[in-house]
Amino acid sequence: MAIRGWGGSVAVAIGVGAAVGAAQLGLGYGLDVISFAPDTGGRLSTEGWVTSLTWATWIAATSTIAGAIVADRLSGRGPATGPATGPAAGWDPASPADPTDPTERADRVTTRLWRLVLATAAALGASATVALVAVPARVAVLDDVPSPQTVAAGYAALGVVVSLLVALAALAARAVAANLLATAAWLWLIAVIAVTGGVLSGRDRARVPLGFWDVTADGPWFRSVLLADAGPPLAAALLIGLLAALPAARRGDRPVGLVGSGAAGPLVLTIAYLLTQPDLVGAGAVDISRHLVVPYLVLAGLLGSLLACAVRARSAPPAARPTDGTPPPVPMTARVPAQRG
């Protein structure tokens, strides 16, 4: 169902951004993956504090992106699909969709401004996460953080701001949007599995790191990287990058958005980790390993989308050739040799 009018689309972007943020934070508080309550001893551990901030930052960012995507799709102005046009893609100068035409250039500018408006509106709605994070953070007691609610609100606000560019990319390419949504679904899935496993096994309350299984540090290790902890997220980033880009590759979408789509979801995860990075001097070995691994998730996702491009190239049908013996048409840019008299 398409929404008519810019006012309705802006309202949808604001509403969806706020609703998705509230829903994700409610799920996070309910599963106890975000908790600012003091641990044993009356104080919140540094690990629990950083884990909660990472989740809050990521939720604020994904809420902005989700609001922009939903509003854009409902507006009926989604990104163009199908083979790219233009001189590099075999564009016919006689085609009515002339990219050099002033009207076409104006349409492109209007489309970009429209996407910026939707992303900004979604960020405005997702700003509700700032208050929803700050209020519970008031109960946190830490030695070196005098105002935890202010710090927590600041990280949520940073998540909203840095996600604006990613939201614009998601509005420009369906493959980017698919990767972001699939990555978010995967991260919540492993969080639910981790919490459920802990409840069924009767384990004590433990933190649930964003994007990782909470494994022991027994090994195997490769330098400073815990392989058992790094393997699953790297494999997931590769697989999601491949599967999310395959439909776009089969449609023949624009190669820029297709190739870069694999990095979108891991990039948001990496930003959340880098923004909330603790003092690695006193951090545990597993925490150091995770902060070393998250940038490589972006590369793994890119590799997955590149594999999708390779599948597209191998499955592309060969160009049609004339069967009646006539020679192929000569390109318009080819030079005709001068005839000798």
Side-chain angles (χ1 to χ4, degrees), residues 283-295:
V286 176
D287 292 324
I288 295 176
S289 171
R290 287 168 181 163
H291 281 83
L292 292 175
V293 167
V294 285

Side-chain angles (χ1 to χ4, degrees), residues 92-272:
D92 182 6
S95 171
D98 186 349
T100 63
D101 184 73
T103 304
E104 292 295 327
R105 289 200 298 267
D107 289 343
R108 290 199 298 271
V109 172
T110 302
T111 299
R112 290 167 184 169
L113 290 176
W114 173 248
R115 291 169 181 168
L116 179 60
V117 168
L118 286 186
T120 305
L124 180 61
S127 298
T129 58
V130 176
L132 295 176
V133 169
V135 173
R138 292 181 301 176
V139 302
V141 179
L142 298 107
D143 294 329
D144 53 349
V145 182
S147 180
Q149 65 270 25
T150 303
V151 175
Y155 278 110
L158 279 175
V160 171
V161 172
V162 299
S163 63
L164 276 173
L165 291 178
V166 183
L168 291 174
L171 298 184
R174 288 185 181 271
V176 174
N179 186 277
L180 288 164
L181 297 177
T183 302
W186 163 253
L187 295 179
W188 277 116
L189 176 62
I190 61 176
V192 170
I193 293 175
V195 172
T196 303
V199 171
L200 294 178
S201 62
R203 293 196 305 265
D204 294 335
R205 173 177 173 266
R207 60 173 179 154
V208 179
L210 177 63
F212 291 88
W213 299 103
D214 199 8
V215 299
T216 61
D218 295 336
W221 288 82
F222 176 74
R223 296 183 179 179
S224 298
V225 175
L226 179 59
L227 297 181
D229 192 54
L234 287 171
L238 175 66
L239 187 60
I240 292 174
L242 171 63
L243 296 180
L246 271 180
R250 291 170 179 169
R251 289 192 304 263
D253 286 2
R254 298 178 183 274
V256 175
L258 179 59
V259 173
S261 64
L267 179 62
V268 178
L269 176 65
T270 301
I271 290 174

